Each structure stands twice: as structure tokens, then as C-alpha cells.
């Protein structure tokens, strides 16, 4: 077991839910706005960066000192650690949180030089997912003062989000439809992981995932990254063909052999015959209404959406396995005096067998009029009294 520091992206609540769903045995302790501590086996931590969508960086705690340590001693410790790693360190130190006097990369470099060795450093902004330590063999160090416990933690980078790879799936797939709005791949991955993690806590085996509003297939591709078999459908034939093209591109690009079936279907009138098996994970971003609705039309827009969502949830029951988990986006518009959302549906859905598992988590892009609420339900046949 080792201690690790994990730096979540801006979607901290969603990132945390993703982590906790996939690793229910690992206790997260919040240290700073985006920084958390946990203990885990190395083999588990090593795989995390390839799995998680909402994590920017992962560090391993390599040393713990009293937080009364002098700057000079701390620099000596850091230099000893770096020289142990490499004869010519390429490094960066980030200090997160309160109660630390600033230590410069230059001070560390000077002491390395005094030891007769060469060193280079780079400046690292922890909230940016710097690629440096991913691409080069750079050592990114982090210090954190735990304050009450009187400890200063020194941690070294273990993994960084592979931004190029995320961008590849976001930008380079053959079919895109930005007018309809596309789910960011990282959000799709978090939704999949949350649903998958919750499902795995009760069930075993290989679940089947379905996105009934697949659009360009973002959810399907991210599910492919998790080696899940998928069904996808859309009411727009262009989206059906486009998602198929994207899936074929994905299989080639990533050399993955994923079972996929993508077809035309109105989500509120599902035909179970199209499905090769029942569904365990339903992960989707339905039509959210216009991207920039006027204030005056919002009441009607939300009425229409409520009808479509309810119809779709009713129709899902014909293809869901008992114990299926649903991660779905609800639209939300906040005006100065009024909020429009579909939260009113939650009670109605309960009568149909859908139980809300956690409070909806808000995901809002800066400047976007329609925000997304990520809602998580479990489906139980017994409580479906229709
Ligand atoms: C917001 S887009 C989904 C985007 C998708 N998550 C992506 O990243 O590309 C919503 C999709 O729902 C589809 N849609 C709208 N009403 C539908 C219905 N009743 N049944 C099935 N699909 C529908 C639209 O054609 C559109 O492709």
C-alpha cells in the first residue's frame, strides 16, 4: 500500500463520484479544492489514469516530513530524491495549499549543480494538464502541508491525463455535429465509469451498454475504451450512419475489437427486437432542447422535454435488465428569478422502477445557457408498477 494524491479536473464533484463508484474500497480525503489523498495498492493506482475521465494528475507520496522542516532541509531532501531518480533531473515543483513558504525550482537546481550534476526544470501549473511529464521522463513534484496533522507531504508524479489522446477522439473522428451539441468525451467517460462502478458493486460479468440518443457516438466510443459491448441508436439517420463510421474509425485507430450495434430508433418507442441482449448500463445525453432558448419559450421547451424524457424512460423498461444503472443528462436553465429543470420527473420515475442514487451533479460549461445535470438511477423491476 502507498499513499497517493489525486488532482481532479474542474468537475470535482463528478470526478469524485467517478472515483468513488469505481473504487468503493478506497477512502478519499479532501486536501484542497481539487486535491485528494487516498491509500491503495500500486497495481491499482497504476491503471487509474487510463481509466478515469475526470482526473488530471496522480502523484505518489514519496516522503513525509514534519511541517516544521526548514526550507534548506526540504530542498536537500528534494535534491536527494531527484538525484536518486536520475543523474540529470528534469523536474518541476508545485506547492498546493496553505502553510508553505515558496521554494523555487531555481533553488533546487542550484543545489543539484553544487552536487556537480546538471538539471533542468519546467514550470508547472497544476490546474493545466501539462503534458510534459507524460511525454518526457520529467519528474513533477508536489508538496502539501496537512496543517492539523503537522505533516508536509512530498509526492512525485505517477500519471498525467493524456490530452492528445482525448483530443484525438474528440476532434479526429470522421463524423461530428457541433450544432446538435456533443458531449465532451471526458464527461461521457465519467458517466460510463459511474454507471459501471455502481453496477459492479452488485453484479458481475460483462455488462451491455446502450445509448438511445447516440448522436455522434461519443458515449459509445468511450465505452469502447472501457472494452464494453454497446448498442446505440438515434432518431436521425445521419447520426446513425455517422456513429457507425465513428465506431469503425475507433476500432481501427485503437485496435479494439468491440461488439457494437447502432441502429435507427425513436427512444420513446423502443423495439426490443433490435437488441441482441438486455441492457445493464444506459448512458446517454438526450436532446436538451435548443442551445440558446429565449426566456419566454423556456416553459414550453421544458414541458416538451419532460414529455419526451418520460416517454423514453417508460420505453426503456422493455430492454433493461433488473438492476440496470442509468446515467443520463437532464437539461437545466438558470434565470435570475427562475430555474427550469426536469427534477420534477424524479418522483414520477420512482413509480416506474427508477431510483435516484445520488443528488444530480451539475456540469456547466462557461457561458452555456443550458447546463447539464448528471442524474444516476438504478432500475428495479419490482418497483415498476405500470
Ligand atoms: C444532444 S444530442 C446527443 C449528442 C451525443 N451525446 C454526442 O456526443 O454526439 C441528442 C441526440 O438525440 C437525438 N434524438 C432526439 N430525439 C430523439 C428521440 N425521440 N429518439 C432518439 N433520438 C433522438 C438527436 O437526433 C440527437 O442526435
Amino acid at each position: 500500500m502507498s499513499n497517493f494524491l489525486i488532482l481532479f479536473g474542474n468537475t470535482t464533484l463528478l470526478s469524485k463520484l467517478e472515483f468513488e463508484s469505481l473504487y468503493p474500497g478506497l477512502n478519499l480525503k479532501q486536501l484542497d479544492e481539487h486535491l485528494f489523498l487516498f491509500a491503495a495498492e500500486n497495481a491499482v493506482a497504476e491503471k487509474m489514469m487510463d481509466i478515469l475521465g475526470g482526473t488530471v494528475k496522480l502523484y505518489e507520496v514519496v516522503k513525509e516530513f514534519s511541517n516544521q522542516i526548514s526550507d534548506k532541509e526540504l530542498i536537500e531532501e528534494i535534491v536527494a530524491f531527484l538525484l536518486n531518480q536520475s543523474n540529470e533531473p528534469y523536474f518541476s515543483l508545485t506547492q498546493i495549499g496553505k502553510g508553505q513558504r515558496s521554494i523555487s525550482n531555481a533553488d533546487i537546481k542550484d543545489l543539484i549543480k553544487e552536487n556537480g550534476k546538471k538539471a533542468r526544470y519546467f514550470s508547472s501549473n497544476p490546474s493545466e494538464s501539462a503534458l510534459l511529464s507524460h511525454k518526457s521522463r520529467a519528474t513533477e513534484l508536489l508538496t502539501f502541508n496537512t496543517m492539523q496533522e503537522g505533516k508536509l507531504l512530498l509526492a512525485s508524479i505517477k500519471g498525467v491525463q493524456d490530452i492528445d489522446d482525448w483530443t484525438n477522439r474528440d476532434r479526429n473522428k470522421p463524423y461530428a455535429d457541433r450544432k446538435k451539441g456533443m458531449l465532451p468525451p471526458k464527461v461521457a467517460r465519467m458517466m460510463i465509469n459511474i454507471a459501471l462502478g455502481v453496477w459492479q458493486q452488485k453484479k458481475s460479468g460483462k455488462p451491455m451498454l446502450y445509448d438511445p440518443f447516440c448522436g455522434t457516438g461519443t458515449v459509445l466510443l468511450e465505452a469502447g475504451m472501457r472494452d464494453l459491448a454497446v448498442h446505440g441508436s438515434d432518431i436521425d439517420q445521419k447520426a446513425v450512419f455517422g456513429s457507425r463510421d465513428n465506431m469503425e474509425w475507433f476500432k481501427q485507430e485503437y485496435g479494439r475489437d468491440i461488439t457494437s450495434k447502432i441502429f435507427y430508433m425513436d427512444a420513446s418507442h423502443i423495439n426490443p427486437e433490435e437488441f441482441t441482449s438486455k441492457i445493464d448500463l444506459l448512458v446517454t445525453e438526450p436532446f436538451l432542447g435548443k442551445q440558446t432558448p429565449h426566456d419566454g419559450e423556456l416553459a414550453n421547451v421544458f414541458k416538451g422535454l419532460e414529455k419526451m424524457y418520460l416517454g423514453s424512460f417508460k420505453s426503456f423498461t422493455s430492454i433493461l435488465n433488473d438492476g440496470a444503472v442509468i446515467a443520463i443528462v437532464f437539461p437545466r436553465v438558470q434565470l435570475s428569478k427562475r430555474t427550469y429543470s426536469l427534477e420534477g420527473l424524479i418522483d414520477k420515475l420512482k413509480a416506474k422502477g427508477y431510483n435516484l442514487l445520488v443528488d444530480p451533479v451539475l456540469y456547466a460549461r462557461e457561458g452555456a445557457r443550458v447546463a447539464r445535470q448528471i442524474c444516476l438511477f438504478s432500475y428495479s423491476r419490482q418497483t415498476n408498477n405500470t
Side-chain angles (χ1 to χ4, degrees), residues 180-183 212-216 218 234-236 265-267 285:
K180 267 192 192 171
M182 285 158 60
L183 198 58
F213 298 87
C214 69
T216 63
T218 312
D234 202 286
I235 203 166
D236 177 359
M265 177 90 62
D266 176 349
E285 175 195 44

Side-chain angles (χ1 to χ4, degrees), residues 30 82 86 142 175 184 201 206 295 303 305 313 328 361:
Q30 186 156 18
L82 286 171
S86 158
L142 178 90
Y175 173 69
Q201 287 171 35
K206 278 234 150 197
D295 290 6
K303 225 184 195 172
L305 288 174
F313 270 99
I328 185 165
V361 181

